[in-house]
């Protein structure tokens, strides 16, 4: 494991310059497949007695560098990149779980993940109980005999609740199931969940890691700390019919899960990352540290400013002194609390929709983590398909507006919000 600092690893980890024709930038290996030396070489690669490249759905030299770099930045033993953050989540869960298994998940999740767990996976016989994560004991209380994973977001999108990852990991350990943490909003610069007991870390690379809004991607990072030989995971301890009888736990020890993600997950679910996107994401990753510091600084400044605006009913940002998550933010996100701010607009649904509609510099769209500032009214867009109860669970109220604060000059951002607030029906402000 690299002992170098974050900024150095973000620029260099995984890239052996001499093995890549002296290229200073990571090259794009835009090839679907790789020529074997001979038939024996091919056979050895397929039976894992030799390592090498076979087919880009399974592995690729550009993706490989991104995988090593992300594993180094999160403190994992290895990772697998995927075509999107959603692909990372579904691939990880489908490799780990089978029909009849159960997940205990935080109820404060990105809407797409909430839908995957609450609607799509149950169709395959994998069920989820959602719990309020603010009391870590809720995870243990909701566990069933067939529980096989705990799933959370370290900093919930859009609730912005900072989770007590250590306390939740204690619950997962007692249940003897892996703790999976989606660390997308926090980024590996602000928080490393593995240091706090996470077994698997997931990112949507589409957000801050790429940072420029140019490429979708995801990653599954394995801490290598979970014991799949504990009797609860026969797919890891019995011969796999999916890979000519390979016993993952025996053959691959601490790398059992991530190896299965690659050789069965990518092979069978096919959610491979394009090497071109890996290249784009590598460009963004190089500057993650300086960007996320600035995103965090600007978001805090905007949050404080919003608290002073008469049109605003409430502001939620974990770095605010008034935030109920401030103590947890001090522990888990001491350097910065990322670039997302939510606030409630007086007048509810209509006023919030007006604000989202009227900003000009803040782009109205469904994404976060871009260098450019973004805005959305989740109740009428991303969370529209959820019931009122599910919206409330995921932290979405009718009056909530979500900002992803970009890297523009802060004065320009305030001016843009100010002119949008001026368009709200003023009768809602009288009282
Ligand atoms: C926290 C979180 N996880 C996962 C995802 C899904 O990522 P992608 O859009 O790359 O599939 C998102 C998307 O917004 C997200 O916010």
């Amino acid at each position: 494991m690299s002992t170098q600092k974050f900024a150095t690893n973000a620029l260099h980890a995984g890239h052996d310059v001499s093995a890549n024709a002296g290229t200073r930038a990571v090259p794009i290996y835009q090839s679907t497949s790789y020529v074997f030396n001979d038939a024996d070489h091919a056979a050895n690669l397929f039976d894992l007695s030799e390592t090498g490249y076979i087919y880009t759905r399974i592995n690729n030299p550009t993706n490989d560098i991104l995988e090593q770099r992300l594993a180094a930045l999160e403190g994992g033993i290895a990772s697998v990149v995927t075509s999107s953050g959603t692909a990372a989540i579904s691939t990880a869960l489908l490799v780990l779980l089978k029909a009849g298994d159960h997940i205990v998940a935080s109820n404060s999740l990105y809407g797409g993940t909430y839908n995957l767990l609450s609607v799509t996976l149950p169709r395959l016989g994998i069920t989820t109980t959602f719990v309020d994560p603010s009391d870590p004991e809720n995870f243990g209380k909701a566990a069933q005999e067939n529980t096989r994973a705990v799933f959370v977001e370290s900093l919930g999108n859009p609730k912005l609740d900072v989770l007590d990852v250590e306390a939740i990991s204690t619950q997962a350990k007692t249940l003897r199931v892996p703790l999976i943490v989606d660390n997308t909003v926090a980024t590996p610069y602000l928080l490393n969940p593995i240091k706090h007991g996470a077994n698997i870390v997931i990112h949507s690379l589409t957000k801050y890691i790429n940072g420029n809004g140019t490429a979708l991607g995801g990653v599954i990072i394995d801490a290598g700390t979970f014991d799949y030989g504990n009797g609860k995971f026969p797919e890891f301890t019995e011969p796999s019919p999916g890979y000519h009888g390979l016993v993952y736990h025996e053959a691959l020890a601490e790398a059992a899960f991530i190896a299965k993600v690659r050789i069965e997950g990518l092979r069978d679910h096919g959610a491979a990352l394009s090497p071109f996107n890996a290249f784009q994401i590598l460009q963004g990753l190089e500057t993650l540290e300086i960007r996320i510091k600035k995103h965090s600084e600007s978001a805090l400044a905007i949050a404080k400013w919003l608290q002073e605006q008469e049109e605003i009913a409430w502001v939620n940002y974990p770095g605010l002194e008034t935030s109920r998550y401030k103590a947890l933010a001090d522990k888990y996100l001491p350097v910065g609390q990322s670039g997302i701010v939510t606030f409630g607009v007086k007048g509810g649904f209509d006023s919030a929709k007006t604000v989202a509609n009227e900003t000009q510099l803040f782009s109205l769209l469904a994404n976060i983590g871009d260098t450019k500032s973004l805005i959305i009214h989740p109740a009428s867009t991303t969370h529209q398909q959820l019931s009122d109860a599910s919206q409330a669970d995921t932290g979405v109220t009718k009056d909530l507006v979500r900002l992803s604060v970009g890297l523009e000059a802060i004065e320009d951002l305030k001016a843009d919000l100010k002119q949008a607030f001026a368009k709200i029906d003023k009768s809602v402000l009288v009282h």
Side-chain angles (χ1 to χ4, degrees), residues 123-139:
R123 288 210 311 263
L124 307 179
I126 299 168
T127 53
T128 295
T129 303
F130 294 96
V131 299
D132 173 358
S134 64
D135 180 356
E137 299 215 337
N138 286 344
F139 289 88

